[in-house]
Amino acid sequence: MRALIQRVTRAEVTVADRLIGRIDAGLLVLVCAMQGDSDDAPAKLAARIAGLRIFRDDAGKMNRSVADIGGAVLVVSQFTLAADTRTGNRPGFSQAEAPARGKALYLDFADSLRALGLPVQTGEFGADMQVSLVNDGPVTIWMDSADRN
Protein backbone atom coordinates (compact mmCIF):
# COMPACT_ATOMS: atom_id res chain seq x y z
CA MET A 1 0.00 0.00 0.00
CA ARG A 2 1.09 3.53 -0.63
CA ALA A 3 0.23 6.46 1.58
CA LEU A 4 0.74 10.18 1.42
CA ILE A 5 0.57 11.50 4.98
CA GLN A 6 -0.05 15.14 5.75
CA ARG A 7 0.06 16.73 9.18
CA VAL A 8 -2.99 18.97 9.32
CA THR A 9 -4.68 21.45 11.61
CA ARG A 10 -7.96 20.47 9.93
CA ALA A 11 -9.17 18.47 6.95
CA GLU A 12 -12.47 17.45 5.44
CA VAL A 13 -13.86 15.49 2.53
CA THR A 14 -17.12 16.05 0.68
CA VAL A 15 -19.00 14.09 -1.97
CA ALA A 16 -21.63 15.88 -4.06
CA ASP A 17 -21.53 18.85 -1.66
CA ARG A 18 -22.20 16.53 1.32
CA LEU A 19 -19.66 16.52 4.15
CA ILE A 20 -18.71 12.91 4.86
CA GLY A 21 -15.57 13.23 6.97
CA ARG A 22 -13.93 15.98 9.01
CA ILE A 23 -11.09 16.18 11.54
CA ASP A 24 -9.27 18.89 13.43
CA ALA A 25 -5.59 18.39 14.30
CA GLY A 26 -4.17 15.12 13.09
CA LEU A 27 -3.31 13.36 9.86
CA LEU A 28 -4.83 13.32 6.41
CA VAL A 29 -3.79 10.01 4.88
CA LEU A 30 -4.31 9.49 1.16
CA VAL A 31 -3.98 5.74 0.59
CA CYS A 32 -3.79 3.40 -2.39
CA ALA A 33 -3.85 -0.39 -2.43
CA MET A 34 -1.32 -1.78 -4.89
CA GLN A 35 -1.29 -5.06 -6.78
CA GLY A 36 0.59 -7.61 -4.75
CA ASP A 37 -0.23 -6.08 -1.36
CA SER A 38 -0.44 -8.76 1.30
CA ASP A 39 -3.47 -9.19 3.54
CA ASP A 40 -1.46 -7.84 6.47
CA ALA A 41 -0.27 -4.72 4.61
CA PRO A 42 -3.09 -2.51 5.97
CA ALA A 43 -2.35 -3.33 9.62
CA LYS A 44 1.40 -2.93 9.16
CA LEU A 45 1.03 0.41 7.40
CA ALA A 46 -1.48 1.62 10.00
CA ALA A 47 0.94 0.77 12.83
CA ARG A 48 3.78 2.63 11.12
CA ILE A 49 1.64 5.71 10.53
CA ALA A 50 0.12 5.68 14.02
CA GLY A 51 3.61 5.65 15.51
CA LEU A 52 5.03 8.30 13.18
CA ARG A 53 6.46 11.07 15.37
CA ILE A 54 5.84 14.19 13.29
CA PHE A 55 4.05 16.44 15.77
CA ARG A 56 5.89 19.06 17.82
CA ASP A 57 6.80 18.42 21.43
CA ASP A 58 7.23 21.19 24.04
CA ALA A 59 10.69 21.94 22.65
CA GLY A 60 9.31 22.36 19.12
CA LYS A 61 10.87 19.15 17.81
CA MET A 62 8.92 16.59 15.81
CA ASN A 63 8.72 14.00 18.56
CA ARG A 64 5.02 13.17 19.09
CA SER A 65 2.64 10.82 17.30
CA VAL A 66 -0.96 11.54 16.36
CA ALA A 67 -2.08 9.58 19.44
CA ASP A 68 0.29 11.59 21.66
CA ILE A 69 -1.45 14.83 20.66
CA GLY A 70 -4.97 13.38 20.88
CA GLY A 71 -5.39 13.85 17.13
CA ALA A 72 -7.54 12.10 14.57
CA VAL A 73 -7.00 10.61 11.11
CA LEU A 74 -8.91 11.29 7.91
CA VAL A 75 -8.35 8.39 5.48
CA VAL A 76 -9.11 9.02 1.81
CA SER A 77 -8.68 6.45 -0.97
CA GLN A 78 -6.61 7.72 -3.88
CA PHE A 79 -5.77 5.26 -6.64
CA THR A 80 -3.71 7.92 -8.41
CA LEU A 81 -0.89 7.25 -5.92
CA ALA A 82 -0.23 4.24 -8.15
CA ALA A 83 0.60 6.54 -11.08
CA ASP A 84 3.40 5.34 -13.33
CA THR A 85 4.89 8.44 -14.93
CA ARG A 86 8.04 6.88 -16.38
CA THR A 87 6.93 7.24 -20.00
CA GLY A 88 4.81 9.70 -21.91
CA ASN A 89 2.61 12.43 -20.50
CA ARG A 90 -0.35 10.35 -19.41
CA PRO A 91 0.14 8.40 -16.17
CA GLY A 92 -0.68 4.71 -16.07
CA PHE A 93 -2.51 3.18 -13.13
CA SER A 94 -2.18 -0.53 -13.88
CA GLN A 95 -0.33 -1.18 -10.60
CA ALA A 96 -3.32 -0.10 -8.50
CA GLU A 97 -5.25 -3.00 -6.98
CA ALA A 98 -8.57 -3.98 -8.61
CA PRO A 99 -11.48 -2.00 -7.10
CA ALA A 100 -13.09 -4.79 -5.04
CA ARG A 101 -9.87 -5.83 -3.29
CA GLY A 102 -8.64 -2.24 -3.19
CA LYS A 103 -11.74 -1.20 -1.27
CA ALA A 104 -11.36 -4.10 1.16
CA LEU A 105 -7.72 -3.18 1.87
CA TYR A 106 -8.65 0.50 2.25
CA LEU A 107 -11.37 -0.36 4.78
CA ASP A 108 -8.98 -2.73 6.59
CA PHE A 109 -6.48 0.10 6.83
CA ALA A 110 -9.03 2.46 8.42
CA ASP A 111 -10.18 -0.30 10.79
CA SER A 112 -6.56 -1.02 11.75
CA LEU A 113 -6.08 2.62 12.75
CA ARG A 114 -9.27 2.45 14.81
CA ALA A 115 -8.03 -0.74 16.49
CA LEU A 116 -4.97 1.25 17.57
CA GLY A 117 -7.30 3.64 19.40
CA LEU A 118 -7.31 6.49 16.90
CA PRO A 119 -10.44 8.40 15.91
CA VAL A 120 -10.83 7.84 12.17
CA GLN A 121 -13.01 9.47 9.53
CA THR A 122 -13.02 8.27 5.92
CA GLY A 123 -13.80 9.36 2.44
CA GLU A 124 -15.97 7.30 0.10
CA PHE A 125 -14.08 4.71 -1.92
CA GLY A 126 -14.42 5.27 -5.67
CA ALA A 127 -16.34 8.54 -5.34
CA ASP A 128 -15.45 11.89 -6.86
CA MET A 129 -14.33 13.59 -3.64
CA GLN A 130 -13.30 17.10 -2.78
CA VAL A 131 -10.67 17.23 -0.06
CA SER A 132 -9.87 20.41 1.84
CA LEU A 133 -7.02 20.69 4.30
CA VAL A 134 -4.69 23.00 6.12
CA ASN A 135 -1.28 21.35 6.01
CA ASP A 136 0.57 22.15 9.22
CA GLY A 137 4.22 22.95 8.69
CA PRO A 138 3.86 21.94 5.90
CA VAL A 139 4.66 18.33 6.74
CA THR A 140 4.01 15.77 4.02
CA ILE A 141 5.49 12.26 4.05
CA TRP A 142 5.38 9.45 1.50
CA MET A 143 5.23 5.87 2.77
CA ASP A 144 5.03 2.56 0.94
CA SER A 145 4.45 -0.77 2.71
CA ALA A 146 6.72 -2.44 0.13
CA ASP A 147 9.66 -0.42 1.50
CA ARG A 148 9.74 -2.48 4.69
CA ASN A 149 9.23 -6.13 5.55
Side-chain angles (χ1 to χ4, degrees), residues 42 102-112 114 122 125:
K103 182 177 182 178
L105 292 171
Y106 160 75
L107 294 173
D108 285 350
F109 174 74
D111 287 343
S112 294
R114 287 184 187 102
T122 62
F125 187 91

Side-chain angles (χ1 to χ4, degrees), residues 19-95:
L19 180 67
I20 62 169
R22 182 184 183 286
I23 64 166
D24 289 319
L27 299 173
L28 169 63
V29 180
L30 305 173
V31 66
C32 176
M34 304 291 292
Q35 287 184 11
D37 282 339
S38 64
D39 290 341
D40 63 350
K44 287 182 176 181
L45 186 62
R48 288 179 64 202
I49 291 171
L52 197 59
R53 297 183 319 168
I54 60 171
F55 292 89
R56 293 178 195 92
D57 64 14
D58 294 336
K61 296 187 185 259
M62 290 197 304
N63 201 27
R64 292 184 175 156
S65 70
V66 66
D68 293 337
I69 65 147
V73 183
L74 177 59
V75 178
V76 176
S77 63
Q78 188 168 356
F79 82 93
T80 59
L81 291 176
D84 181 352
T85 59
R86 292 177 290 179
T87 60
N89 293 321
R90 183 174 179 209
F93 303 103
S94 62
Q95 294 303 305

Side-chain angles (χ1 to χ4, degrees), residues 2 5 12 15 31 36 39 53 57-58 64 69 75 113 118 122 127 130 134 140 144:
R2 289 186 178 163
I5 304 139
E12 66 182 35
V15 174
V31 66
D39 290 341
R53 297 183 319 168
D57 64 14
D58 294 336
R64 292 184 175 156
I69 65 147
V75 178
L113 289 168
L118 295 171
T122 62
Q130 289 69 51
V134 177
T140 302
D144 193 315

